[in-house]
Amino acid sequence: KDKSIEKAILPASVYIPLSQHTGKTCEPEVKVGDSVLKGQRIAGLESGVFSPIHASLSGKVVDIKDYRETIILSIEVKVDILYNQRKN
């Protein structure tokens, strides 16, 4: 069927897990209260097998903890909707 492409609605927050494969869990490189930009590296390690973690959207870090839903250390970013809309 012919369907037009629609823009997705931005979420209020995103939860970014710090382990995204079989390697080690990354250490946060940001802290609560930091502003982050889409694509910015927010977690990693100095050595070993790991995948660096980057912010999927711009916003402010509001929490870093083990979330029951993910059972893994995650960074919660409150999305800056206006900034993200200007950049997309």
Side-chain angles (χ1 to χ4, degrees):
K1 291 184 175 184
D2 244 353
K3 291 190 175 184
S4 62
I5 297 174
E6 297 177 19
K7 285 193 172 213
I9 297 171
L10 292 172
S13 293
V14 292
Y15 298 83
I16 305 169
L18 300 188
S19 179
Q20 299 188 354
H21 61 88
T22 58
K24 295 180 179 180
T25 299
C26 291
E27 294 293 326
E29 296 175 353
V30 294
K31 61 187 180 307
V32 172
D34 285 354
S35 292
V36 297
L37 297 175
K38 178 179 172 182
Q40 177 182 335
R41 181 173 156 154
I42 58 173
L45 292 172
E46 290 189 23
S47 64
V49 176
F50 71 97
S51 290
I53 309 299
H54 298 82
S56 54
L57 291 168
S58 298
K60 181 176 260 185
V61 177
V62 295
D63 210 352
I64 301 172
K65 68 177 185 179
D66 286 321
Y67 286 91
R68 194 173 55 168
E69 298 83 11
T70 61
I71 314 171
I72 196 162
L73 185 65
S74 298
I75 295 176
E76 179 184 0
V77 176
K78 182 171 176 28
V79 176
D80 182 339
I81 293 175
L82 294 177
Y83 180 87
N84 284 286
Q85 286 176 338
R86 286 193 308 267
K87 293 297 178 181
N88 291 330

